[in-house]
Amino acid sequence: MTEHRIYNFNAGPAALPLPVLEEIQASFLNFKGSGMSLVEVSHRSKWFDDVINDAVVRIKRLLKLDDNFEVLFLQGGASSQFFMIPMNLLPEGRSADYVNTGTWSTKAIKEVELQGKSADVVASSKDRDFCYIPKNVVFNSDAAYVHITTNNTIKGTQWAQMPDTGGVPLVADMSSDILSRPFDPAPFGLFYAGAQKNMGAAGVCVVVIRKDMLERVPENLPSMVKYTTFAAKNSLYNTPPCFAIYTVQLVSKWLEEEIGGIEKMAEINRQKADLLYGFMDSGDFYRGTADADSRSFMNVTFRLPSEDLEKQFIQEALENGFGGLKGHRSVGGCRASIYNPMPLKAVADLVDFMKTFEKKNG
Ligand SMILES: Cc1ncc(COP(=O)(O)O)c(C=O)c1O
């Protein structure tokens, strides 16, 4: 079956490491001698306890999180964090700083405003259609937190470094670059990621929260939207998305045991991005859409000389085993998502295909 698999450049749900898929397949009918599949065992069983506990331990080790941080597995996608964050962490009468770098930040800001709370948009790249990350942003020292989107999946931009917020807790949507590069977790009050891009299968959002932030959670929120509910119960307050958490465990194991950790992963990610951007910059047929200093190492967005050529490129790429190269429906163009599981060889093969396509059509 594996010989029919294509290179999957989708933005999410996205490619998973082949060894992870193989382990799921091999253990599916009889998980760890239980006589049941993982999706049939109780979430209160020893089998599932081992899965969720191992996932937490590995994520903490990979991200170098000390005991000040809790790792939570929540449902409702990264999109639910857009409203849960202000509900839990933004007290009445205070304001939070937001940097608007595209569709996902815009949605996050809207959810604050829907609650009648104040989001101060301290910087935005809307003036140039979100093709860059704002620089030298000045934050309010009395902000309840500062929210950023570390990687902008649609526009293909990424914060090269996390901003200095001068002690105000940083809150970040890392849906499309978590576990792709090392960073210092200390300034973060919370960060979160829908698992379906870089961490596993759709259905779970990983939320990492610093324990002191839990003190802000108002008592009178519904239980299912309070971080404290899940922190008190190891994410097992109600039935969790067991299968998705299992995939996060396996991807974390793959990252530790087969790749050798986040530093090694970041080096491979740099090589992949350098290869693709380097090739695009060597001519003018493929045109990157993000400013060079704001380019994403995860989502490489580009245009061809015409929309007809883009359509033809995406179609012929698929026929040659390269799937998912269509840009997001809101922006058009092309996008190659080269998350952690995408091997360097796949990017090298894509560049070869792009060269051939250009020779024929350039
Ligand atoms: C950066 C970012 N944030 C949030 C989301 C929304 O995630 P979800 O579909 O898990 O709600 C996405 C989805 O593509 C994303 O790329």
Side-chain angles (χ1 to χ4, degrees):
M1 285 303 276
T2 49
E3 70 268 26
H4 298 301
R5 288 178 55 78
I6 60 169
Y7 287 139
N8 175 3
F9 290 94
N10 274 310
L16 285 169
L18 192 56
V20 166
L21 296 174
E22 285 170 342
E23 181 164 348
I24 292 169
Q25 187 181 42
S27 67
F28 198 70
L29 293 182
N30 184 357
F31 183 74
K32 307 268 179 203
S34 65
M36 298 171 273
S37 71
L38 188 271
V39 292
E40 296 168 294
V41 302
S42 167
H43 62 291
R44 309 273 176 215
S45 65
K46 158 116 181 53
W47 295 292
F48 189 70
D49 256 354
D50 288 348
V51 167
I52 195 165
N53 291 337
D54 190 54
V56 169
V57 167
R58 288 184 186 280
I59 289 171
K60 282 186 142 183
R61 215 162 35 216
L62 281 162
L63 292 171
K64 300 192 170 53
L65 302 173
D66 60 25
D67 285 340
N68 282 323
F69 289 93
E70 297 272 0
V71 177
L72 309 178
F73 298 101
L74 305 186
Q75 300 193 55
S79 301
S80 290
Q81 293 312 305
F82 299 163
F83 67 79
M84 276 180 70
I85 289 163
M87 270 181 153
N88 282 272
L89 307 182
L90 182 51
E92 295 298 336
R94 300 274 305 273
S95 178
D97 285 1
Y98 276 71
V99 181
N100 190 359
T101 50
T103 308
W104 302 111
S105 328
T106 304
K107 288 193 173 178
I109 293 161
K110 181 175 157 210
E111 296 295 321
V112 181
E113 288 164 352
L114 279 173
Q115 293 174 43
K117 293 187 173 182
S118 161
D120 188 350
V121 181
V122 287
S124 164
S125 48
K126 196 172 179 193
D127 59 331
R128 287 178 46 229
D129 200 18
F130 300 115
C131 71
Y132 70 100
I133 298 293
K135 289 179 195 58
N136 306 321
V137 182
V138 178
F139 299 103
N140 291 299
S141 58
D142 58 349
Y145 59 83
V146 168
H147 183 284
I148 62 167
T149 311
T150 51
N151 185 76
N152 298 279
T153 327
I154 296 176
K155 296 291 185 180
T157 62
Q158 185 175 25
W159 288 77
Q161 274 123 28
M162 305 301 173
D164 179 359
T165 59
V168 177
L170 195 50
V171 170
D173 178 356
M174 294 192 187
S175 290
S176 46
D177 68 353
I178 194 162
L179 300 178
S180 71
R181 57 177 175 170
F183 61 89
D184 176 12
F188 285 88
L190 182 149
F191 53 94
Y192 60 102
Q196 66 272 17
K197 297 167 195 300
N198 229 5
M199 289 190 109
V204 69
C205 181
V206 175
V207 174
V208 175
I209 184 165
R210 213 171 59 206
K211 283 183 182 153
D212 62 290
M213 301 299 279
L214 292 169
E215 289 158 22
R216 295 192 188 185
V217 176
E219 258 315 303
N220 62 352
L221 291 184
S223 303
M224 283 299 287
V225 295
K226 276 159 90 164
Y227 292 125
T228 41
T229 303
F230 294 90
K233 300 278 182 191
N234 195 27
S235 301
L236 294 170
Y237 171 71
N238 70 326
T239 317
C242 299
F243 181 75
I245 295 171
Y246 172 48
T247 63
V248 171
Q249 181 216 358
L250 293 184
V251 169
S252 307
K253 184 170 106 174
W254 168 82
L255 203 43
E256 284 198 295
E257 295 177 6
E258 301 208 24
I259 298 296
I262 292 204
E263 282 78 9
K264 294 240 171 69
M265 192 71 255
E267 179 49 33
I268 298 169
N269 287 333
R270 170 172 291 282
Q271 288 171 17
K272 289 186 282 179
D274 283 352
L275 188 60
L276 197 42
Y277 286 120
F279 165 66
M280 281 170 22
D281 289 347
S282 68
D284 52 13
F285 188 76
Y286 300 99
R287 193 170 34 85
T289 59
D291 281 6
D293 63 358
S294 301
R295 284 170 163 174
S296 166
F297 280 32
M298 297 277 103
N299 308 99
V300 178
T301 48
F302 55 96
R303 308 288 322 217
L304 273 67
S306 72
E307 286 189 16
D308 282 346
L309 273 173
E310 285 167 350
K311 264 197 207 129
Q312 189 188 333
F313 171 78
I314 291 160
Q315 180 56 34
E316 285 185 25
L318 186 58
E319 287 161 11
N320 283 275
F322 305 94
L325 289 167
K326 197 167 188 291
H328 190 268
R329 61 190 183 284
S330 63
V331 293
C334 301
R335 171 176 57 179
S337 296
I338 51 174
Y339 300 123
N340 287 354
M342 182 63 67
L344 182 58
K345 164 130 179 35
V347 178
D349 288 354
L350 175 64
V351 166
D352 284 345
F353 169 78
M354 290 168 82
K355 281 183 190 157
T356 310
F357 186 86
E358 181 180 348
K359 265 199 202 107
K360 279 198 283 182
N361 301 285

